[in-house]
Amino acid sequence: MQLDASASQIEAVCIAVREQGLDPLVLPGEDRVAIGIPAVVGQDDRPRLEALFSSLDGVSKVTQVSRPYKLASLEFQRQKTTVTVGEASFGPGSFSVMGGPCSIESYKQLSECASLVKAAGCTMLRGGAFKPRTSPYSFQGLAEEGLKIMQTVGRENGIATITEVMSADMVGLVAGYVDMLQIGARSMQNFPLLVEAGRSGKPVLLKRGPAATIDEFLLAAEYVLNQGNPNVVLCERGVIPLDRAYVRNTFDIGAIPVLLEHTHLPVIADPSHGIGVARYVEPMALAAVAAGANGLMIEMHPNPKVALSDGSQALGPTQFAHLMSRVNVLRSGFEF
Ligand code: PEP
Ligand code: MN
């Protein structure tokens, strides 16, 4: 719509769209309103509709968007989204790090993690209570007991918390204990879960599936946004590798600038799962920062050798502090 389009002109366009049997989506922006029309229209019908809608009062231009996602698209929402969780903030010009163990193992372990990550400059504590494991015989997490530990430790240390929720029916329970919900890579296309997370009122971290395309990733985010929840952060966490002899996943650094160009949502990186080998995590974290990531998620453990899950990619306290200081040096040298 034109900059000065009136509410009645916007409504008139919506009516015209509905008269064509289509469903308009009004997207208020910083300076103007855009009206999205889902692409159920055949190629042949497009020129006619383009001419029809262009002729309406208040319309600035009609463009065809080739991307299948709308709410997540930067084309529809020109202003970048910043998601704030406690003292953490993800968006243009704001950068935060989530640190913590793969799994919550005990109060003592998580409490140690919280003071270490906070001292190193993190503003969010991560840790899984429900763990999606490749084998059903591996440690599955402490479940609600873990959530309680997370809530207590988060409060005691004054740090925002994030944990994974694996199914739609668990969203209410998990949302009662933490500040942000994580949807794991294996659940990226669990649509009922995306819908419930969208309704939860909590900010959502959506991890990219290990074989998901950029379009699939942004369409998954669209499910959460579509429930009226604008607080979605995307996380690149590696894709299926060609060679598992050396790395667990291939960290798709290229996805970061690509996503930042096409979506208004913040994009963070998880180089821990992204490469899956502790000694490569720091270089990958620095690469993600250089690529423009709005934040990081890093797995650490007071003693990685005894970790109940993902010990081989967890950083110990010294390695973690080293990574954080180098990230700060890198960030202070650039305008992001
Ligand atoms: C995790 O963050 O612990 C996790 C299981 O990550 P992902 O879903 O990316 O594998
Ligand atoms: Mn993990």
Side-chain angles (χ1 to χ4, degrees):
M1 300 300 291
Q2 288 163 359
L3 283 175
D4 58 356
S6 67
S8 58
Q9 286 173 332
I10 293 165
E11 185 47 33
V13 172
C14 291
I15 291 168
V17 170
R18 281 191 209 102
E19 278 170 3
Q20 298 300 315
L22 301 166
D23 198 13
L25 185 64
V26 178
L27 300 150
E30 169 91 318
D31 50 4
R32 66 176 74 224
V33 166
I35 299 173
I37 306 167
V40 290
V41 182
Q43 286 297 335
D44 297 347
D45 219 16
R46 288 180 183 231
R48 179 183 70 79
L49 291 172
E50 197 166 329
L52 175 75
F53 298 140
S54 305
S55 70
L56 299 174
D57 286 345
V59 172
S60 166
K61 66 174 191 285
V62 179
T63 44
Q64 294 190 28
V65 182
S66 52
R67 309 285 170 200
Y69 44 86
K70 302 245 166 342
L71 296 174
S73 156
L74 188 58
E75 211 162 353
F76 278 102
Q77 186 184 312
R78 298 300 306 168
Q79 198 191 3
K80 287 275 189 178
T81 294
T82 296
V83 175
T84 302
V85 190
E87 285 176 20
S89 174
F90 308 92
S94 56
F95 178 95
S96 299
V97 185
M98 310 170 173
C102 181
S103 304
I104 301 162
E105 298 171 4
S106 66
Y107 169 80
K108 183 172 175 292
Q109 173 245 21
L110 194 68
S111 187
E112 273 177 51
C113 290
S115 33
L116 286 165
V117 300
K118 204 176 169 185
C122 291
T123 43
M124 277 191 91
L125 177 65
R126 63 144 287 145
F130 296 95
K131 296 305 301 178
R133 302 304 302 279
T134 304
S135 160
Y137 310 114
S138 303
F139 176 61
Q140 304 281 308
L142 295 182
E144 191 168 1
E145 182 54 31
L147 298 176
K148 289 182 179 158
I149 293 174
M150 181 59 106
Q151 186 179 52
T152 306
V153 169
R155 284 181 183 162
E156 283 173 359
N157 290 271
I159 188 166
T161 54
I162 176 166
T163 201
E164 175 164 354
V165 55
M166 282 169 51
S167 61
D169 58 330
M170 299 296 265
V171 168
L173 176 83
V174 177
Y177 287 104
V178 292
D179 301 306
M180 187 175 204
L181 300 176
Q182 174 172 329
I183 296 188
R186 292 159 192 79
S187 304
M188 190 201 84
Q189 286 182 314
N190 179 340
F191 301 115
L193 173 60
L194 295 171
V195 169
E196 277 313 308
R199 290 179 183 159
S200 69
K202 293 277 174 174
V204 173
L205 179 76
L206 180 64
K207 294 187 112 185
R208 180 182 179 189
T213 63
I214 298 288
D215 279 353
E216 287 165 343
F217 191 16
L218 290 174
L219 284 168
E222 191 100 353
Y223 268 86
V224 182
L225 297 170
N226 200 26
Q227 297 303 316
N229 185 344
N231 295 313
V232 178
V233 176
L234 304 172
C235 181
E236 163 56 37
R237 51 75 72 201
V239 292
I240 292 170
L242 282 177
D243 192 347
R244 278 231 153 100
Y246 295 86
V247 293
R248 182 178 177 192
N249 288 304
T250 291
F251 189 41
D252 187 4
I253 296 167
I256 298 167
V258 170
L259 287 164
L260 289 169
E261 182 178 306
H262 292 287
T263 180
H264 54 86
L265 298 172
V267 179
I268 73 163
D270 167 0
S272 302
H273 293 88
I275 193 137
V277 181
R279 66 183 177 284
Y280 305 142
V281 170
E282 182 184 292
M284 290 300 97
L286 295 172
V289 171
N294 302 125
L296 293 171
M297 169 177 267
I298 308 285
E299 283 189 350
M300 57 79 65
H301 195 282
N303 181 3
K305 286 194 196 68
V306 301
L308 294 183
S309 61
D310 283 354
S312 56
Q313 69 191 31
L315 303 186
T318 314
Q319 293 167 301
F320 187 77
H322 188 265
L323 177 150
M324 290 296 284
S325 72
R326 293 196 70 187
V327 164
N328 285 335
V329 169
L330 180 60
R331 281 189 47 79
S332 63
F334 285 92
E335 280 275 320
F336 287 104

